[in-house]
Amino acid sequence: MMIENDVWVTVRYRLFDSLGDALEPTERELTYLQGGYGTVFPSIEEALAGHGVGYATRVHLEPEDSFGDYDPELVRLAARAQFPDDLEVGMTFEGVPGEDEGDDEDGRLYIVTDMTEEAVVLDANHPLAGMSLRFDIRVVDVREASEEEVERERALVEDAQAQDDRESPLRRVVVADDDFDDDDIDDDEGIDDGPNGNDDGDHGPGQDEGPAGPARRRLH
């Protein structure tokens, strides 16, 4: 079965920066519904369309095609006294603690990026904002979706749009902690860049197959 609109696609992927350094310690698995439902970036859907199980490719994305440019206006400074005693770098807050709710009506999620005894630096940019990225992707399962599954996915998209949820889990990628050694991670074998940076070939079966069905992990 080939990948087309309204089919479930299960892929295994690894994320790299523009220098080829791994941003995650291992491969991740994701099942999504093909057809512009927002679970993956459009460029990834385009690269996989028309292919089947065993296909492997590399997709290069610039910031405008992924998590956007870095916006310095989304960096805020807040008093340390407004935060809990066990505050740590990496913690996430909806809005800036200590500010009136009306001051941050968009409900942005802020990540603590630095702190002193008196102040805390918060950043609402996505951790990968401003970065050129490379996804190494392998298709491990493809199956047709039922009408009920398609309708449920459409409802999820409409709900996300109604809430204008710019931090929706539909397009998040979890970046691993910096405590892993990417020198111990080999690039996936059998994936050769095509003339446009994406692999052009089907590498056939032989990859481990992931579970089919709607129970899925998103880029989150």
Side-chain angles (χ1 to χ4, degrees), residues 65-77:
D65 299 318
S66 55
F67 298 100
D69 292 322
Y70 188 85
D71 184 357
E73 296 296 324
L74 296 180
V75 179
R76 308 286 286 277
L77 193 65

Side-chain angles (χ1 to χ4, degrees), residues 106-185:
D106 57 11
R108 286 192 175 96
L109 295 178
Y110 287 84
I111 301 174
V112 176
T113 59
D114 198 3
M115 53 187 291
T116 68
E117 293 182 357
E118 298 180 351
V120 176
V121 179
L122 300 131
D123 192 344
N125 285 284
H126 189 282
L128 300 179
M131 295 180 62
S132 297
L133 303 172
R134 188 189 91 204
F135 287 85
D136 286 8
I137 305 171
R138 296 181 292 136
V139 179
V140 297
D141 192 74
V142 180
R143 79 164 181 88
E144 187 174 357
S146 67
E147 292 183 7
E148 292 79 8
E149 290 169 340
V150 171
E151 287 303 317
R152 182 173 64 243
E153 205 73 5
R154 286 175 180 165
L156 288 173
V157 172
E158 291 174 358
D159 182 61
Q161 291 174 342
Q163 297 180 39
D164 193 24
D165 185 5
R166 69 185 299 275
E167 291 295 339
S168 168
L170 295 177
R171 294 191 178 186
R172 288 187 203 159
V173 172
V174 174
V175 181
D177 294 335
D178 294 331
D179 58 357
F180 77 93
D181 186 358
D182 57 8
D183 291 335
D184 295 333
I185 301 176

Side-chain angles (χ1 to χ4, degrees), residues 22-77:
L23 297 177
E24 298 183 314
T26 60
E27 277 188 333
R28 290 182 177 270
E29 187 169 289
L30 163 73
T31 301
Y32 74 95
L33 189 63
Q34 176 88 357
Y37 294 94
T39 309
V40 299
F41 296 112
S43 296
I44 292 178
E45 288 202 1
E46 293 172 7
L48 299 182
H51 298 283
V53 173
Y55 179 69
T57 187
R58 283 176 173 164
V59 180
H60 298 261
L61 298 181
E62 295 303 315
E64 59 267 25
D65 299 318
S66 55
F67 298 100
D69 292 322
Y70 188 85
D71 184 357
E73 296 296 324
L74 296 180
V75 179
R76 308 286 286 277
L77 193 65

Side-chain angles (χ1 to χ4, degrees), residues 12-26:
R12 289 182 180 167
Y13 70 93
R14 185 179 291 166
L15 182 62
F16 299 82
D17 64 17
S18 59
L19 299 178
D21 294 328
L23 297 177
E24 298 183 314
T26 60

